[in-house]
């Protein structure tokens, strides 16, 4: 029997809505009530599953009429989205988040399977083989930002 945890269920629910609409606007408390969880569980799902690295932009407005808006974006569709992604990468990125960026580029049709696999190989922990995680994450970020800039100028 395949048992999903509640975070997976909430993520899939939001992704199903996004598959039919350009974006989704939710109220954290309403979704929490719907799934019988605390509102912080909704925050966790959004912060970990709907990141720019995964191809999502999240906007929130606090207060009585507050909402959280999630939109699936093509990472290279606009210069602004690319700048946000490069800013999110910054000067350091771990292997998990870097792989998510490459997966999003592949999903958006910006990379072929072969290109994505080559990039994944280049930024893999075993390839970099450094004994200092900070240095490894810095080099990985430089490689990814360089690739993104190259793709930006080619598209």
């Amino acid at each position: 029997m395949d048992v999903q945890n509640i975070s997976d269920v909430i993520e899939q629910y939001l992704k199903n809505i996004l598959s039919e609409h350009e974006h989704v606007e939710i109220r954290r408390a309403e979704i929490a009530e719907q799934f019988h969880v605390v509102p912080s569980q909704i925050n966790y799902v959004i912060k970990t599953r709907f990141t720019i690295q995964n191809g999502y932009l999240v906007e929130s407005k606090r207060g009585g009429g507050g909402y959280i808006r999630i939109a699936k974006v093509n990472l290279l569709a606009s210069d602004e989205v690319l700048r946000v992604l490069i800013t999110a990468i910054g000067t350091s990125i771990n292997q998990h988040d870097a792989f998510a960026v490459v997966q999003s580029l592949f999903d958006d049709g910006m990379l072929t399977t072969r290109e994505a696999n080559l990039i994944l190989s280049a930024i893999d922990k075993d390839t970099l083989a450094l004994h200092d995680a900070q240095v490894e994450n810095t080099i990985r970020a430089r490689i990814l930002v360089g690739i993104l800039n190259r793709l930006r100028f080619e598209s």
Side-chain angles (χ1 to χ4, degrees):
M1 184 174 177
D2 187 21
V3 178
Q4 286 187 310
N5 70 40
I6 191 67
S7 294
D8 294 337
V9 172
I10 295 167
E11 174 188 16
Q12 194 56 52
Y13 170 78
L14 294 172
K15 284 183 175 179
N16 286 342
I17 295 172
L18 284 166
S19 71
E20 298 174 12
H21 303 284
E22 195 172 296
H23 68 273
V24 61
E25 281 188 16
I26 62 168
R27 287 191 167 52
R28 189 176 66 134
E30 290 174 8
I31 299 294
E33 188 176 312
Q34 179 178 343
F35 287 97
H36 307 291
V37 297
V38 294
S40 62
Q41 181 73 35
I42 306 304
N43 283 351
Y44 170 79
V45 170
I46 291 169
K47 287 184 188 302
T48 60
R49 315 282 176 98
F50 294 92
T51 64
I52 188 66
Q53 293 92 334
N54 291 326
Y56 297 93
L57 283 178
V58 177
E59 174 187 342
S60 63
K61 179 181 176 239
R62 298 195 181 268
Y67 60 84
I68 298 172
R69 178 181 296 142
I70 305 168
K72 177 75 174 143
V73 294
N74 180 320
L75 293 179
L76 297 176
S78 78
D79 197 47
E80 180 59 28
V81 172
L82 184 58
R83 274 186 254 168
V84 170
L85 179 58
I86 289 172
T87 300
I89 292 171
T91 58
S92 179
I93 188 168
N94 65 40
Q95 180 171 304
H96 178 268
D97 289 344
F99 278 33
V101 169
V102 174
Q103 180 67 50
S104 292
L105 292 170
F106 174 76
D107 291 345
D108 287 346
M110 296 305 300
L111 298 174
T112 65
T113 301
R114 183 170 190 247
E115 292 165 339
N117 283 329
L118 288 170
I119 294 168
L120 291 175
S121 178
I123 63 175
D124 186 84
K125 179 180 182 175
D126 294 332
T127 302
L128 296 174
L130 300 168
H131 298 292
D132 184 332
Q134 269 187 329
V135 173
E136 178 184 303
N137 291 343
T138 299
I139 292 171
R140 187 178 292 113
R142 287 181 183 172
I143 292 168
L144 267 183
V145 168
I147 290 167
L148 291 171
N149 279 322
R150 176 63 64 151
L151 288 172
R152 178 177 159 203
F153 294 123
E154 286 181 2
S155 49

